[in-house]
Amino acid sequence: MKAQMRFQKYICLAMLIVGALGLLYAFFYSSGAVADLGQNLISRGGKKVSAFTAASGKYDAELYNEISLFNNVLMICGILMILFAVALYVTACHKRRNYYISNYIATGICAGGNIVVSLVLMIMNVIYRGKFLNVDFTAWKTRYDYLISQDSAAYYSDSTVWFDVGFAVYALIIIASAVLVLNLIWKIKLMQGEKQLLESSRMLGGETV
């Protein structure tokens, strides 16, 4: 039981760390290639429009507005993940020798919530990564080259690195959540074993008397 109790402290801490990692990713996501795309929005008639014109079937800089909404979702989900982990500490999942209903609920919410949220965000990430790759990079690069030739500030990037990092981040969160469930199973088996030993001791004590 000592090894399991030591491990439950580590896995609860790990859940807090991966939750913070999810939130941190949201901050970095907004400063990646998508931010460069946003720099190509200009004010015209009181609204933000693309500074370059995309070919038919392609996206222009206005895609930034759509992806920004996804970025807000990432932020909210990152906060949720941290709250899921906090629930483990509120119910003392990190230090209790015996688990009660509150511990099962907190563990289920944390593991299940993280897995569901991560899978949804991975699917959304695939969708927006595909949209970003369909930006008219030729038109964007043409404007970039022109601004550079005029010694003006210019922003360009066709990198999908921050989209790709997202898959790794959420895969890690899913793995950590699965380990949290395995820890719960381990805990239940040990608790059952201790209960059986206790009952056996009582029975032996009764027979001795």
Side-chain angles (χ1 to χ4, degrees), residues 37-56:
L37 185 62
Q39 293 292 337
N40 286 272
L41 289 171
I42 56 176
S43 294
R44 184 179 296 162
K47 68 181 288 190
K48 294 279 188 178
V49 296
S50 178
F52 62 88
T53 303
S56 178

Side-chain angles (χ1 to χ4, degrees), residues 140-180:
W140 184 2
K141 187 67 164 57
T142 298
R143 179 174 187 272
Y144 171 81
D145 291 339
Y146 171 75
L147 291 174
I148 290 296
S149 68
Q150 300 297 310
D151 292 325
S152 300
Y155 303 88
Y156 176 85
S157 176
D158 56 5
S159 172
T160 61
V161 65
W162 285 112
F163 290 99
D164 301 330
V165 167
F167 296 119
V169 169
Y170 296 118
L172 181 62
I173 292 172
I174 290 172
I175 291 170
S177 299
V179 173
L180 181 64

Side-chain angles (χ1 to χ4, degrees), residues 46-118:
K47 68 181 288 190
K48 294 279 188 178
V49 296
S50 178
F52 62 88
T53 303
S56 178
K58 294 283 187 177
Y59 288 102
D60 58 23
E62 289 184 34
L63 177 63
Y64 172 80
N65 297 325
E66 188 178 339
I67 296 182
S68 290
L69 295 176
F70 175 49
N71 195 188
N72 293 338
V73 172
L74 292 177
M75 292 278 191
I76 293 169
C77 289
I79 293 171
L80 272 177
M81 288 175 175
I82 292 175
L83 292 177
F84 290 156
V86 169
L88 297 177
Y89 284 91
V90 170
T91 55
C93 288
H94 64 298
K95 64 181 181 180
R96 273 190 177 163
R97 184 178 183 85
N98 293 308
Y99 271 11
Y100 301 98
I101 293 176
S102 61
N103 300 110
Y104 294 127
I105 293 173
T107 301
I109 289 174
C110 185
N114 275 322
I115 290 172
V116 170
V117 168
S118 294

Side-chain angles (χ1 to χ4, degrees), residues 1 4 185-195:
M1 181 65 90
Q4 189 281 324
I185 295 171
W186 185 14
K187 185 77 167 180
I188 291 171
K189 287 186 175 181
L190 288 176
M191 285 169 58
Q192 289 174 340
E194 283 193 339
K195 186 178 180 181

